Amino acid sequence: MSAPEPPPVPSGRPAPGAEQVALYDPHDAAGRVVGSAPRALVRARNLPHAATGVLLRDARGRVLVHRRTTVKDVYPGRHDCLAGGVVGAGEDPALAAERELAEELGVRGVPLRPVLRRWYRDERTCFLAHVFTARVPAGAEDALVLQPEEVAGAWWEEPARLRDLLADPAWPFVPDSRALLAAWPGWWRDDGRDDAAG
């Protein structure tokens, strides 16, 4: 008896877990690429890679918060306020951030500004985070297109309330974004330039 055929993969995309992910030197804060591996192997062995995150604001300064689907390979079902994902082999982190923002939320053509780059490590993942901030124009707040495989729901939250929610360790929020925001002083402040650092 032969094994069942795997389900078709849409439009030439690699099968889940087979996509090639760039591997990074975990001792290099600048982000030196040292190779690549399939995503499934990166997850199984917790290999050092890079990932992007975009803090998305609306014209009023609110922050988009979303809930991850229960099928995500890391931190399923938890809340997050950084849209992003792993950096593919040969992919520039800024372009990866643009790609992830388009795939997860349907947001395209908004300028991204880098605000933070640092390593995050825990028992589930090890990555060099490239964090950006961006803003959707007025009137586009309700035009988001959520990727059903990754985003279970999303809403716009006042930054001060989000800061209060993050102060509650019982709130089911992803630990990596929680740690990255803690390393970004004043991220909740909005002066109209998307420059909350400092």
Side-chain angles (χ1 to χ4, degrees):
M1 182 176 204
S2 62
E5 289 291 319
V9 178
S11 65
R13 293 181 65 184
E19 66 185 287
Q20 289 292 307
V21 174
L23 299 180
Y24 283 68
D25 179 349
H27 306 293
D28 184 357
R32 184 169 63 91
V33 177
V34 295
S36 66
R39 181 186 182 114
L41 186 63
V42 170
R43 292 300 188 210
R45 296 188 182 172
N46 200 5
L47 299 176
H49 59 287
T52 64
V54 180
L55 184 83
L56 188 64
R57 295 183 187 273
D58 68 2
R60 292 170 42 191
R62 296 178 301 177
V63 174
L64 188 75
V65 179
H66 67 275
R67 188 168 56 81
R68 298 162 69 89
T69 61
T70 57
V71 296
K72 290 283 286 183
D73 56 1
V74 177
Y75 314 128
R78 295 195 187 187
H79 296 97
D80 199 352
C81 65
L82 298 179
V86 299
V87 176
E91 191 173 28
D92 177 80
L95 295 178
E98 290 179 1
R99 173 182 54 78
E100 290 284 350
L101 198 57
E103 289 176 1
E104 290 186 3
L105 303 176
V107 175
R108 294 173 174 81
V110 297
L112 301 184
R113 193 176 58 74
V115 292
L116 184 68
R117 182 174 62 196
R118 68 182 293 129
W119 279 95
Y120 175 82
R121 298 173 177 89
D122 67 16
E123 68 282 353
R124 300 286 308 279
T125 189
C126 173
F127 64 91
L128 179 60
H130 295 264
V131 181
F132 302 83
T133 184
R135 185 184 302 271
V136 295
E141 299 90 345
D142 298 325
L144 301 178
V145 179
L146 307 182
Q147 184 180 32
E149 298 85 5
E150 298 197 22
V151 183
W155 73 96
W156 295 102
E157 186 62 82
E158 295 295 337
R161 172 156 167 70
L162 178 55
R163 181 183 58 174
D164 292 344
L165 288 168
L166 288 169
D168 178 2
W171 190 48
F173 194 84
V174 294
D176 53 352
S177 292
R178 193 186 295 260
L180 292 169
L181 291 177
W184 175 6
W187 64 265
W188 60 89
R189 291 195 297 270
D190 178 28
D191 63 4
R193 297 182 298 119
D194 277 335
D195 187 1

